[in-house]
Amino acid sequence: DLLVRYRTMNGDGVLSPIGFDSFGLPAENAAIAAGTHPRESTDANIERLATSLKRIGAVYDWRRVLSSHDPEYIRWTQWIFLKFYENGLVYRDEAPVNWCPGCKTVLANEQVLADGTCERSGDLVERMHMEQWFYRITEYAQELLDDLDDLDWPERVKLMQRNWIGRSEGAEFSLPIAAADGSARTDVEGLRVYTTRPDTSFGMTFAVMSPEHPRVEELVSAEQQDEVREFIATVSAKSEIDRLSTEGPIEARGVFTGSHVVNPFTDAAIPLYLADYVLTTYGTGAIMAVPGQDQRDWDFAEAFGLEIIRTVQPPEDFDGEAYTGEGPAINSEWLDGLGVADAIAEANRWLVEQGIGEPKVNYRLRDWLLSRQRFWGCPIPIVYCDRCGAQPVPVDELPVVAPDDVELTPTGQSPLVSHEGFLNTTCPNCGGRARRETDTMDTFVDSSWYFLRFADPDNTEAPFAKEAVERWLPVDQYIGGVEHAILHLMYARFFTKALADLGVAPADLREPFARLFTQGMVRFGGGKMSKSRGNLVEPDAIIDSFGADSLRLAILQVKPPAEDVDWEDFGIEGCSRFLGRLWRLAHPDGVMTATRDGERASVDDEVDKAAHRLIDRVTFDYERWSYNTAVAACMEYTNRLYKYVQDDDGAHGPTLDFAVDTLLEVVAPMVPHVTAELWERRHGEHVHERRWPVADPAKLVVETVTLVVQVNGKVRDRLEVAADIDASAAEDAALASSKVRALLDGAEPSKVISRPPTLVNLVV
RNA sequence: GCCCGGGUGGCGGAACUGGCAGACGCGGAGGACUCAAAAUCCUCUGCCCUUCGGGGCGUGUGGGUUCAAGUCCCACCCCGGGCACCA
């Protein structure tokens, strides 16, 4: 809000919109607990929040307000889904999904924490197979990665996105299945593997498949059937945490299939294993194992008594196990002697030449699973016909809105599943009987395009007009918490790119948010304060007792905005006290406004200069988002004015008027109510219509400064000297100091460092 | 394990490019006003020593560079965050 007001005073046209991301699990759970419909509590909460935001003096454009549960908003969220569907960016697939038993719904990969728990409920996420809807975000993996370079975002956030996208370069190729005599079979397809180190292939002494690999059944030998079945049963019983854990014996983490594949580089038959650490979701779900250059393969090889061959020469002083560093290739026939990069290129060339493989880029990023088995979300506009299968709802039938006559029960099952009126419909294709999709969309879908709608919130023909978006987007300054670094910011970037490519948004709008500022979180007693935890400190009580401006000032003063802050550290009283001082100083009938007549004196010039210095400091601090120091500058300046007024000579009227007006102008964006009132009483006008003051450079020039005199780097004296003093004059002044002379005791300094006008260091 | 941040008084924090450490606020002490209290106003407030002139120590720890280090370099400790079997 400060930024909006400051930019406005600078003459910018500012669009500062507000909306409510109103769908979601907390609202649904609260409704279940209260036995009401989530719309009632949601609408009431929006009303309450809007009132609160207005009370604190936020200058949002309320004409543009949005709510994601508004049927008009739902219409366009669904319209975009269908547009994506038409263009192959939406698909339905049976997939192993993350099921949260607490939320009773599936989660996107991004919503599962590293320890395998749900980001929202903290429950242990389970693996399940289900038919689900996906957004094909992986289609944009490369562009999402590349375009990060040009964004004015915190490096930390960009790094997190890069890691999440997880690009890796390597090669994919086939390992022929081995016949009983160890030769390569030509009658069946080989096993595809992905590696980033094709240069180490001569050291491949075994291969490993994921236990969920589709070819497991086919490739397990008769004798190994029982052992493998037992292994798979153990693995699937394991929780995500156990499975990701590197603790425990490696022997228990893999099993021999009884089959062999052929290393195409050496033509040797090598054993094929299953291991739980190989993931179906990455690469091809099968790997070549090179224990000499991969520690995990090394450990596995040792546990199962498999051969280890080094193919990169480690340095002489290397005493580790697997060696992953740089070095010449060894034991690798035609690769011997090549460095890693050259050997990779040569191995890739050979794979292509043999027709068994090719270079391949892989991403860690998975497609975005958007289905949620919940009620309070945007319905997915699809119907299922027995004859025609899944069919999109025609655009002119949008929005598909959930019915009101539902009863939410604590079972966690969406009431849509059993609501006959909602469920039964006709097929848009054949007109026959059909059932509606009962899943709703992840709420991150709603927040992936709202910034575009803000440009054109009342459009009834389209989600937004291109021209309106062209006028306002990309967002010049986006502000949010780091908790959105991956989820929201990645999804919103994907939507923007896809909408631009589909001709919905301007084609050149490749990114939604040009600059990003990640503000800190407000904590409470060390814990997290958030709407989902229900421990919000309501601003209304503070506003009632101290006023909105005291609260605003306290928020700005407590810490730099990028850092987390504990509510207990807020200094409301001190800020309130400052506003009292401001009031008494600036009020036309105030007690602090006694002035003297007569000529200007040097003290008046000083105060005048202080006013210009204040403008300079506060402007600088606003520009660099250093609001706590801006507040400090204003307090310091106010203290100076108090001294000025209380001085024996008193304050000179015109000087004081300018000094106080300047203060009111620069603090206006921070404390809009008090300043508006004071300005009106002083001038009968509106302070918020003032132009931002500009400091007079001539008034910023100082005549005298404090010269610090050090002896051997320790401060021994301070002298007031002319600001334009030269090096030798500064040295002379320092040597003339009686304190310094006493300390030197007649000795001559061996070296003098003179940095006029601030410092002279005498080295003895 | 890897990658980012960060460690400064009793507390929140200041210190732009190496150049006065601790701005500003909170808290604390003293004083003025008042019959008294609140509010307000003023002064002091890093730690230790002091003959009250001043002196010593001090930015997580240990070393280094420099006339000079909170700031730069090396090693380590602690806290917060992200990623984590990704082949």
Side-chain angles (χ1 to χ4, degrees), chain A residues 1-123:
Chain A
D1 189 59
L2 183 148
L3 192 61
V4 171
R5 291 174 180 276
Y6 171 64
R7 287 278 163 219
T8 303
M9 285 178 87
N10 274 283
D12 292 324
V14 183
L15 171 51
S16 173
I18 178 81
F20 298 90
D21 189 12
S22 46
F23 272 138
L25 206 48
E28 181 167 341
N29 287 342
I32 291 169
T36 59
H37 193 282
R39 177 175 298 103
E40 288 171 31
S41 49
T42 300
D43 286 341
N45 280 337
I46 286 176
E47 195 56 40
R48 216 162 40 86
L49 268 163
T51 307
S52 223
L53 286 166
K54 286 172 186 168
R55 279 193 83 194
I56 207 166
V59 283
Y60 291 119
D61 184 347
W62 290 96
R63 297 166 300 183
R64 294 173 188 258
V65 69
L66 299 177
S67 296
S68 38
H69 77 296
D70 183 325
E72 273 310 291
Y73 194 83
I74 290 172
R75 177 200 305 276
W76 299 112
T77 304
Q78 292 173 337
W79 185 93
I80 291 168
F81 174 92
L82 294 174
K83 194 83 186 168
F84 281 20
Y85 182 86
E86 252 170 58
N87 289 277
L89 287 173
V90 168
Y91 64 94
R92 186 171 148 85
D93 195 14
E94 156 126 355
V97 297
N98 308 301
W99 175 263
C100 172
C103 302
K104 298 238 167 38
T105 186
V106 301
L107 305 172
N109 276 5
E110 286 82 352
Q111 290 163 319
V112 183
L113 301 181
D115 65 356
T117 59
C118 170
E119 157 292 309
R120 187 169 280 283
S121 71
D123 287 296

Side-chain angles (χ1 to χ4, degrees), chain A residues 2 52 142 257 386 396 399 704:
Chain A
L2 183 148
S52 223
Q142 189 61 49
T257 60
D386 292 340
D396 57 16
T704 66

